[in-house]
Amino acid sequence: MPMPAFLAQFNDNKIMIAITTFFLARTIATNLSATGAFEIFVDGELVWSKLETGRVPQWNQILEALSSKGIKLASVHHLD
């Protein structure tokens, strides 16, 4: 089965995709922080609330919250 065109473009432009993803994630994080609310729900159940904790979670805390609800993410690479 041939690779879809959009996946081929991603494969050819890995650095541009990484840079775009970084800036998009920073923009989203900034906007979420500015509203004062950042909450994560799994199946309608609150697993993280910035309003309750007073802070935005670190990446490992998000993974732990999701893992506690049985959600496992495959091979996630990040910088700490």
Side-chain angles (χ1 to χ4, degrees):
M1 181 173 171
M3 183 184 297
F6 75 94
L7 286 180
Q9 289 178 336
F10 286 170
N11 195 37
D12 293 340
N13 297 306
K14 291 177 185 172
I15 292 176
M16 184 56 73
I17 297 297
I19 292 170
T20 302
T21 301
F22 172 78
F23 283 111
L24 181 61
R26 296 297 303 159
T27 300
I28 291 170
T30 300
N31 287 336
L32 288 173
S33 296
T35 65
F38 179 85
E39 297 180 322
I40 300 172
F41 288 86
V42 175
D43 292 331
E45 184 179 343
L46 182 65
V47 295
W48 184 274
S49 173
K50 180 184 176 232
L51 298 174
E52 289 179 6
T53 63
R55 59 189 180 80
V56 176
Q58 297 294 317
W59 180 243
N60 63 330
Q61 293 170 315
I62 293 172
L63 294 177
E64 288 171 12
L66 295 175
S67 179
S68 73
K69 298 301 175 188
I71 298 172
K72 304 287 185 205
L73 298 179
S75 186
V76 177
H77 301 284
H78 57 87
L79 299 174
D80 284 330

